[in-house]
Amino acid sequence: MRNHTFWYYTIKYAAPDWFTAHFPATSLDGELWIERGKFQLLTQIVMDNTPDEDAWRSVKYMVFDLPLSPLPFEQRYQDLRQLISTISTQNDYLFAIEQKSVDDLTILTQWLDIVVNNHGEGLMLQHRDNQYIAGRTNQLLKLKQHQDAEAIVIGYEEGNGKYQRQMGAVWVKTASNETFKIGSGFTDQQRKSPPAIGTTIQYRFNGYTDRGIPRFNRIRLSPDS
């Protein structure tokens, strides 16, 4: 079997040749995807240097932009849809992500509710006139809902780098006896003097992993943090 490879940010993945067959010659910006709630399974599949062909048949490459195009986003997206539509009859694994134009905050909020209620994380907001910028940019905004909860501190994990010899993360236990660590959102002072074992802390998160662990958890510093 001959394998093609393609680049996703700075990580190189191996894929069966039929997966990338008929991909366009131009660069694409997108993400590999199976279905919501299957991130761990996807990671196992794509990180295998010897691809499991049966497993890869559940993977899709969902594309949302054309990095090399000099056009504003609204025109790039139309070109992207046209490009993918000409390939769709030859490749079953390449898709253009649906994107909508919204000019009403109420409609935007309703759309966010629909996505979250269907186990999505949130929405990405892009202005129609934006030029493509690689990496993180304040022109591409994440719109998410969040959840708040409490847990009891049961231990510590030492930090690395600038936080060496300080608290890097706290291990916590929830009322349902789930244990996990929280390492984000702490101030430097809190890392020097972490909350005592047995303390109840508040944290913020966005949904759950396949194992029921709060995703993207971080300490909640104040009601508005």
Side-chain angles (χ1 to χ4, degrees):
M1 179 185 69
R2 178 173 59 87
N3 295 327
H4 285 288
T5 57
F6 56 93
W7 290 92
Y8 178 69
Y9 293 109
T10 59
I11 302 175
K12 191 175 183 179
Y13 296 120
D17 54 355
W18 46 260
F19 187 87
T20 54
H22 305 293
F23 271 27
T26 189
S27 297
L28 302 173
D29 189 354
E31 63 180 23
L32 297 171
W33 190 76
I34 297 179
E35 60 180 271
R36 287 170 180 160
K38 298 294 184 180
F39 179 75
Q40 281 78 12
L41 175 59
L42 173 67
T43 301
Q44 293 172 8
I45 293 172
V46 303
M47 293 301 290
D48 192 344
N49 290 329
T50 303
D52 181 333
E53 292 203 46
D54 289 338
W56 268 92
R57 294 191 188 280
S58 64
V59 179
K60 300 177 179 63
Y61 187 33
M62 310 298 290
V63 185
F64 39 76
D65 214 332
L66 295 172
L68 300 183
S69 173
L71 298 174
F73 174 71
E74 187 171 40
Q75 293 176 257
R76 292 200 311 274
Y77 179 59
Q78 294 305 319
D79 288 350
L80 173 63
R81 292 184 58 190
Q82 179 63 33
L83 176 64
I84 299 301
S85 67
T86 61
I87 300 171
S88 60
T89 57
Q90 300 173 299
N91 186 293
D92 296 328
Y93 306 97
L94 190 64
F95 296 85
I97 291 180
E98 180 186 12
Q99 308 203 40
K100 299 180 180 180
S101 177
V102 177
D103 56 9
D104 184 278
L105 183 58
T106 299
I107 295 175
L108 179 63
T109 302
Q110 291 173 346
W111 192 15
L112 176 63
D113 289 340
I114 292 171
V115 170
V116 173
N117 290 337
N118 283 277
H119 309 292
E121 293 179 14
L123 301 173
M124 300 298 294
L125 306 183
Q126 173 92 277
H127 193 279
R128 59 171 57 91
D129 294 331
N130 281 351
Q131 299 295 314
Y132 183 87
I133 300 177
R136 294 185 177 183
T137 168
N138 57 12
Q139 293 189 26
L140 183 61
L141 305 178
K142 294 181 180 179
L143 181 63
K144 295 183 176 182
Q145 293 180 345
H146 61 256
Q147 297 155 277
D148 293 321
E150 294 182 341
I152 297 174
V153 177
I154 60 173
Y156 309 108
E157 186 169 296
E158 185 177 342
N160 298 310
K162 65 178 290 188
Y163 297 124
Q164 191 173 9
R165 297 188 180 90
Q166 299 180 36
M167 183 271 291
V170 295
W171 280 93
V172 300
K173 178 183 287 188
T174 67
S176 58
N177 288 321
E178 296 287 352
T179 60
F180 55 93
K181 64 181 178 180
I182 300 175
S184 298
F186 292 99
T187 65
D188 287 348
Q189 182 58 41
Q190 287 175 317
R191 294 188 183 279
K192 295 176 182 177
S193 180
I197 291 178
T199 301
T200 297
I201 62 173
Q202 294 184 326
Y203 66 94
R204 182 158 285 178
F205 66 103
N206 297 85
Y208 296 89
T209 68
D210 293 345
R211 297 192 299 114
I213 303 301
R215 298 184 64 190
F216 308 115
N217 57 65
R218 63 272 190 196
I219 194 70
R220 185 184 180 195
L221 299 179
S222 69
D224 297 323
S225 64

